[in-house]
Amino acid sequence: MNKDNNEQAIEEASKLDAKTVYEVICRDGEEELERPVGSLFWSGVSAGIVISFSVLGEAILRSFLPDEPYSYLIENLGYSLGFVVVIIGRMQLFTENTITTVLPFLQQPSWFILRRIGVLWGVVLFANVVGAFVIAAFYAHSGAVSGEILNSIEELSHHATGMPAAESFVRGIPAGILVASIVWMLPEAKSSSLSIVVLFTWLIAAGDFTHIVAGSVEMAFLMVTGDLEVGRAIFGFFLPVLAGNVIGGTAIFAFLAWGQVRREMSH
């Protein structure tokens, strides 16, 4: 092997440093901030619909697994299904944007970028919720899902939305950190991307943490079936989980990521 080939092999085998990972995600965030609102909306609706496969997958496994202690851990593998499609498929998921769009602002703060972040967050979150309600209504009233699986979806939904608001909030923080961790690791992951998404989203479910978009499918299911009041849904579940995810993904993970590369970026 000649010197040039050896150098190339070393570069390919070496890990990306934190500064490079930051710059990759920062560039992704800048591209997201420049996308038209219409594109963001329809991508967000798609994500809201597809993320429902996390709820559906978990419900299917719950319906057919034996009533054993270990079944809980296997059941929660189903929760990864929707996240795999959404994240690998590059759809607009609100909790991913709590880190990707914030990093460009931390690097170069400006009111313009802050306004763009506000617009993107608002559009994507609204679109995710619209998609969640569309698919929840389909599951509940179309007859496409068997009664046994519907019962499992209902059980999961009551559990997710039945926590006290304060508990929903604190359980949302680890979920925000874990989703941000996935985003941070993907530039380096390459062929391991799938296993990283599966492992970390399984951990969200197994840890009984709360996620605003997947949880919105469960919230919407109970609302379209008349089992959850609007006030309870918004103030007891949606807003507390949203705040927890934002704190976990932005106030904790994004700022820590910025802190470890800030001096290098300044040079």
Side-chain angles (χ1 to χ4, degrees):
M1 180 181 293
N2 61 41
K3 183 176 180 180
D4 290 339
N5 289 337
N6 187 49
E7 287 293 331
Q8 183 178 355
I10 292 172
E11 288 181 6
E12 291 176 352
S14 63
K15 295 181 179 180
L16 298 177
D17 59 24
K19 177 176 175 288
T20 304
V21 172
Y22 186 98
E23 289 175 339
V24 169
I25 298 172
C26 190
R27 182 173 298 180
D28 286 343
E30 290 170 349
E31 292 175 356
E32 296 296 340
L33 290 171
E34 292 174 359
R35 293 187 67 185
V37 169
S39 299
L40 293 172
F41 176 78
W42 288 112
S43 182
V45 171
S46 299
I49 292 173
V50 172
I51 202 72
S52 70
F53 292 119
S54 288
V55 180
L56 182 63
E58 191 174 358
I60 291 171
L61 291 177
R62 170 175 284 213
S63 300
F64 296 103
L65 283 170
D67 187 15
E68 298 289 343
Y70 64 81
S71 296
Y72 173 78
L73 295 178
I74 300 174
E75 166 192 316
N76 285 309
L77 283 172
Y79 190 78
S80 299
L81 294 176
F83 283 93
V84 167
V85 181
V86 169
I87 295 175
I88 302 298
R90 304 283 291 179
M91 299 176 188
Q92 287 290 335
L93 186 67
F94 174 77
T95 45
E96 284 188 274
N97 287 320
T98 59
I99 178 172
T100 54
T101 57
V102 172
L103 295 190
F105 175 77
L106 294 177
Q107 184 174 347
Q108 191 174 2
S110 71
W111 286 110
F112 174 76
I113 296 178
L114 190 61
R115 285 195 299 269
R116 289 295 300 165
I117 291 173
V119 171
L120 184 144
W121 280 16
V123 170
V124 171
L125 181 60
F126 176 71
N128 287 166
V129 174
V130 168
F133 269 90
V134 168
I135 195 65
F138 175 79
Y139 288 159
H141 301 301
S142 68
V145 180
S146 69
E148 189 173 7
I149 296 173
L150 279 178
N151 289 337
S152 293
I153 293 176
E154 185 177 358
E155 291 174 4
L156 291 168
S157 300
H158 276 296
H159 174 73
T161 61
M163 302 176 190
E167 185 175 350
S168 295
F169 166 71
V170 296
R171 287 180 180 269
I173 295 174
I177 294 173
L178 287 169
V179 173
S181 300
I182 294 171
V183 175
W184 185 261
M185 288 186 290
L186 284 181
E188 176 69 19
K190 299 177 182 177
S191 60
S192 302
S193 297
L194 178 62
S195 59
I196 286 174
V197 175
V198 170
L199 177 62
F200 277 72
T201 53
W202 169 81
L203 188 57
I204 292 174
D208 206 13
F209 303 131
T210 51
H211 186 271
I212 187 60
V213 184
S216 288
V217 176
E218 296 165 316
M219 176 190 75
F221 182 84
L222 294 181
M223 292 180 72
V224 299
T225 57
D227 288 340
L228 185 63
E229 298 177 353
V230 174
R232 166 63 190 166
I234 295 175
F235 298 104
F237 174 77
F238 189 84
L239 292 180
V241 174
L242 175 62
N245 286 173
V246 169
I247 288 175
T250 298
I252 295 178
F253 196 95
F255 278 88
L256 289 175
W258 168 244
Q260 70 171 321
V261 302
R262 179 173 60 86
R263 295 184 183 277
E264 297 170 78
M265 301 294 287
S266 65
H267 292 305

